[in-house]
Amino acid sequence: MTAADFTNLHLQYKSTQAEGEVPAVIEHDFADGRMVDHYYVTPSPAFWQDEGVAQLDAVAGISFLQQAPGEPWKIAVHEPAMIREVVFDFAEEEFQKMLADSGVTLPG
């Protein structure tokens, strides 16, 4: 996955989910601990065509999960029952590009 696979990232707070958007969370570290922020994100057509994603019955949400320093982020794509998921590596550079492209600065 690359930054181009996710566009229109914006906070859920005081927002309405638009057509084509999926609820997303970003779980990230900051100076005093770990934080979870809620967003909406628009996945690209290539995202939906990925073999793993296409095998899910539906997508209820996407989690962007920060890993240990130097490790790539994980992207977990969840179906509504949260029984099955698809997990991708997401390079730090691509994650930062996704944030920059959407004008998002993580709190904390």
Side-chain angles (χ1 to χ4, degrees):
M1 292 283 147
T2 69
D5 289 310
F6 304 99
T7 61
N8 197 32
L9 179 71
H10 62 97
L11 282 168
Q12 286 185 19
Y13 180 70
K14 293 190 177 181
S15 292
T16 303
Q17 184 176 356
E19 186 174 335
E21 290 183 331
V22 174
V25 298
I26 297 178
E27 182 180 285
H28 61 96
D29 296 329
F30 69 106
D32 294 325
R34 187 156 266 240
M35 182 178 279
V36 176
D37 305 306
H38 297 265
Y39 294 86
Y40 290 119
V41 67
T42 304
S44 72
F47 170 89
W48 295 112
Q49 293 168 0
D50 178 87
E51 182 180 327
V53 174
Q55 289 180 7
L56 297 175
D57 294 332
V59 172
I62 299 171
S63 300
F64 297 92
L65 308 168
Q66 187 174 22
Q67 303 301 302
E71 296 293 319
W73 286 68
K74 296 290 184 189
I75 301 171
V77 182
H78 306 279
E79 67 176 7
M82 295 195 70
I83 294 171
R84 292 189 312 157
E85 68 180 5
V86 179
V87 178
F88 301 97
D89 283 345
F90 199 39
E92 174 71 27
E93 299 79 22
E94 292 296 325
F95 178 77
Q96 294 301 327
K97 182 171 178 2
M98 177 187 71
L99 294 178
D101 289 351
S102 295
V104 171
T105 301
L106 294 179

